Amino acid sequence: MAASGSAQPETARHFRSDVQGLRAVAVLLVLVYHAGVSAVGGGYVGVDVFFVISGFLITSHIVREVQTKGRLDLVAFYSRRARRILPAALTVLAVSAAVAYLVIPPFEREGLLQDATATALYVPNMLFAAQDTDYLTAEAPSIFQHYWSLGVEEQFYLIWPILLVGILALCGRRRWAVWTAVAGLVTASFAGCLALMSVSESWAFFALPTRAWELGVGGLVALAVSQGARIRGPIGGALAWAGLVMVVLAGLTLSDATPFPGVATLLPVLGTALIVFCGAERHSPAWLLNRAPMQFVGSISYSLYLVHWPLVMIPEAALGADGTLPTTAKVALSAAAIPVAYLCFRFVEEPFRRRPAKARVEHRRTVAVSLAASVSIGVVAATSANAVSHMPIHAGDDAPPYRMETDPVGTDFVPANMSPDLRSAPDDNPDIYRDGCVRGDGESDPSGCQVGDEDAPTVALFGDSHAAHWQPALKPIADDGDIELDINAKSSCESVTTLDDPRGSDSCVEWREGVIDRLNDDPPEVILLANYAVHATEETDEDRGDYWRDSLEQTVEALPEESEVVVMAGTPTMPAVPASCLSQHVEDAERCAANRETTLEEGLDAPTRQAEKAVAREDEHVQRLDLTRYFCNDESCPAVIDDKLVYRDSHHLTRTFSASLEPVLRERLEPVIEGVKQA
């Protein structure tokens, strides 16, 4: 959203009450979506509505000033933007950071302050893109994640005035040339967005170049309006109504599973453009958008957007491992955001926005003070993040070295000698991520990565990130020359799934089928299938067990008959991210264990696990390898065993713990390989 909520027209003469009401529609869509109301699964499109509005308003202002004064005063322009955007944004940022720091688990404080640093410096969207954040499905979203759109708009405001003034100067009075040039930029940005979607959805979602077309569409509408273009009467009113229907329809029909941004983004963007272009007509939805409640919400929409997310996320983050807020609580907090937003609007946003700044020296002072405030907050946050990174998070005592055994008893405290330590846990990934061996978004190369003696029996590891987390246990066996390890892993793409799965992305299907074809061309002795069954079955309308069984049978049938197929049982899904939980309970690590009967999300008798057992019983070429007894006992699955941290997140093993299971994995694979040789 960002400045669109506050970047209101300069004078009453140019005020568009219908646009003000449209802001209300946009922010309410976002609020309801973030509250977890499933009926509004596409409420995130409210941000796209704001982008179009911002592009329209800013372009209108620039064109109007150039037409009336012959030039654009950039210092005054940036001064006005700073006074309207930054006071509320920086106030909410500082207050949110301070409150969140006090209540969130210690493990998360460094990340909180890093996010605050990027936000203060106007680049949170770039940070989230670099972190490969999935805005629509993030498990533990940043408290400042909503600032990504503010980053996009701030970056747009830095570039667009200079670019547009240049276009106006080059094209002169040729209005068609100006419109064509801007349309070309919009088209290029949209094409880039579609192209990048197949490579990195995160960068496509967060980066300015791939979202600028939405603001550019608003700019095109502004150029058309400034040139006197208008569709009046009943036709114009009907088009405006159609636009509103498009926006609402996008909010109701899109979901977290919709590839976004992409072609689906056209629905809310073009709908908004129609409303802005035609919405002032008598037959348009202006009568609805002009109602007092809509005008009130529209007037505070910027502050409301800023405060609603931390009001929901900080209490949820404070719960840590103890759970998440129910939807009713999120709805209540979202409603409470309205009076809080009004206070922010009345006492922070409005005083700065209304303060006149006519002298050029005052404009310069405003820009300088704004930059100084942003940099100061950024420096404080960055310095604090560095200090936090050196604070220990453990109980102070050591634990004995890890002893691999079944039914392990968990360590009841966080050891000072734990490996990896809590801060290192998220990055304790298999080396194959760093080496580029795990295929990412949009990648479909089925060639795999081979390690070990080419003359040794080949073991093909095939699956998603759960296949990848077994690589540290398998690599030493390959390094010893006992096997050639053929690694075929792609994040969030299962090897066990219906091959024409409509939920799978094109790159997943292409990669999976390519790997199966390659394995059939040169059959390995053993194929290890390892997948996250929870992810693979969570969206199916069928019975989870039946779906997984059918998918597994179909995949096994597609694999070479000469190969022995071994299905690796999935690792348990913990009730919370262990590192976060353990940082809250360094003296009571048992609080972070998963109870076998009640707290395991999938349980150890999940339908998918039973399906795997059934397939192994009925197909003589399929075996099942279950190492659960090495990280769970009869009562629980501990987060810490001796001096080892078991999980790097809620369901992936740490590289360190996976490597420690090498002896048992070697022991279990030897008879399988020997059996294939003898056959």
Side-chain angles (χ1 to χ4, degrees), residues 15 30 68 144 156 206 290 323 476 523 563 574:
F15 179 75
V30 174
T68 57
F144 305 114
F156 180 80
F206 289 110
N290 290 342
S563 303
M574 303 296 281

Side-chain angles (χ1 to χ4, degrees), residues 234-259:
I235 295 178
L239 288 175
W241 274 109
L244 184 59
V245 170
M246 290 168 68
V247 170
V248 174
L249 190 64
L252 296 177
T253 60
L254 303 186
S255 70
D256 294 348
T258 305

Side-chain angles (χ1 to χ4, degrees), residues 44 72 192 518 627:
Y44 50 82
L72 176 67
R518 186 172 63 81
L627 300 185

Side-chain angles (χ1 to χ4, degrees), residues 68 71 82 105 119 153 216 254 268 317 330 382 405 407 414 473 506 587 591 594 602 617 622 638 653:
T68 57
R71 59 185 292 273
T119 301
E153 290 199 20
L254 303 186
K330 291 182 179 181
E405 59 184 7
D407 301 319
V414 177
D506 291 340
E587 300 284 356
R591 288 278 300 272
E602 268 298 278
R617 284 195 305 267
V622 178
L653 299 177

